[in-house]
Amino acid sequence: MAEPRWSRVLLKVSGEAFAGEGGYGIDGAVVQRVAREVAEVRADLGVEIAIVVGGGNIWRGMAGAGAGMDRAQADYMGMLATVINALALQDTLEQLGQPTRVQSAIHMAQVAEPYIRRRAIRHLEKGRVVIFAGGTGNPFFTTDTTAALRAVEIEAGVLLKGTHSGTDGIYTADPKLDPNAQRLDEVTYLDVLNQGLRAMDSTAITLCMDNQLPIVMFDLLGEGNVRAILEGRPVGTLVH
Ligand code: UDP
């Protein structure tokens, strides 16, 4: 078995990736693709994998707040949306034979374990994929920040931030708007913050910077990308 570059990783899967072409809801084919890649990498490379799922395919707190809702209330709706995605991913992973646990930051005893750090680590050691749902459990945060927080808590070696809609890393400008935009192979946390590069929100980047947690930003839907990163091939953009 090839030695993976990191033995424990945290994969961030944005909710929007699950929406597929439709832009809303859950596209089973997309979930299947992500789950298959995770299960294969887990089995072939023996990497411990934890996943944070977003909820943007169902609900975003900012959208609710923009329409006049109380921001905290709207954010709780967003956190609940992540639980729906987590259960979809769990089902798909388990159909592929990959044992999985969902841990939620919002208590929901009938469908998910509560988030307990030490128990999550134990699951990982036993080869289970742990899906963290419910964000941080607090409004005014994002699931990118959740990913950074959980990655640091479980002592993951890297945060793999999967993007979607064809963007395969961090660019000097928005590649959809600027034809001269160039993809960067490596950047520092401070470059991201100071230059306002589109990577993750500043809370998430700062948490990674303060804890020297590297981030790889890559195209989640590119076939074999997770494996390539873990085998040490250059994919996406490394933030360190
Ligand atoms: N959210 C929150 N606290 C958290 C994580 C998420 O309030 O710790 C809410 C927030 O409203 C956010 C929504 O959940 O808009 C969905 O998460 P996010 O937008 O990060 O999902 P993604 O962009 O990854 O699909």
Side-chain angles (χ1 to χ4, degrees):
M1 190 188 287
E3 196 62 29
R5 186 162 177 202
W6 294 282
S7 57
R8 180 179 293 161
V9 303
L10 190 135
L11 174 66
K12 163 71 204 296
V13 178
S14 84
E16 272 175 3
F18 277 3
E21 301 287 304
Y24 183 82
I26 299 174
D27 179 337
V30 178
V31 183
Q32 183 89 30
R33 257 169 78 181
V34 174
R36 193 175 309 116
E37 176 128 17
V38 167
E40 282 176 11
V41 164
R42 165 70 231 133
D44 296 350
L45 303 180
V47 181
E48 295 178 9
I49 305 179
I51 303 175
V52 166
V53 285
N57 53 324
I58 300 171
W59 183 263
R60 263 181 214 290
M62 287 297 273
M69 278 189 77
D70 174 63
R71 168 77 192 270
Q73 179 85 346
D75 276 344
Y76 278 110
M77 291 170 66
M79 288 182 258
L80 296 181
T82 71
V83 181
I84 295 175
N85 287 331
L87 295 184
L89 182 58
Q90 174 175 46
D91 182 78
T92 312
L93 279 165
E94 298 218 321
Q95 288 198 30
L96 294 170
Q98 172 58 56
T100 308
R101 295 290 185 275
V102 175
Q103 290 202 344
S104 175
I106 294 181
H107 287 204
M108 227 177 274
Q110 283 82 355
V111 295
E113 293 181 3
Y115 171 63
I116 299 172
R117 177 182 159 269
R118 292 173 64 105
R119 188 188 279 187
I121 291 171
R122 191 79 191 107
H123 287 320
L124 292 171
E125 288 169 350
K126 287 186 173 172
R128 297 168 186 146
V129 168
V130 179
I131 304 171
F132 296 121
T136 61
N138 302 290
F140 302 99
F141 287 94
T142 63
T143 51
D144 279 355
T145 300
T146 310
L149 174 64
R150 295 288 184 250
V152 173
E153 286 187 273
I154 64 168
E155 296 172 10
V158 67
L159 193 170
L160 304 179
K161 153 86 177 168
T163 63
H164 51 92
S165 56
T167 315
D168 56 357
I170 301 177
Y171 282 75
T172 50
D174 186 343
K176 293 204 178 85
L177 304 176
D178 184 347
N180 297 320
Q182 290 186 342
R183 190 167 68 76
L184 302 161
D185 292 334
E186 277 185 39
V187 287
T188 67
Y189 306 106
L190 284 176
D191 288 339
V192 174
L193 292 171
N194 294 339
Q195 296 171 32
L197 299 174
R198 286 162 62 113
M200 301 199 298
D201 59 84
S202 57
T203 311
I205 295 285
T206 306
L207 199 51
C208 292
M209 180 170 73
D210 289 351
N211 293 282
Q212 285 119 47
L213 174 73
I215 306 160
V216 177
M217 202 159 146
F218 71 103
D219 179 6
L220 177 70
L221 303 180
E223 197 81 37
N225 272 352
V226 175
R227 175 187 293 270
I229 293 167
L230 295 175
E231 287 178 348
R233 283 179 270 150
V235 172
T237 302
L238 174 69
V239 187
H240 61 155

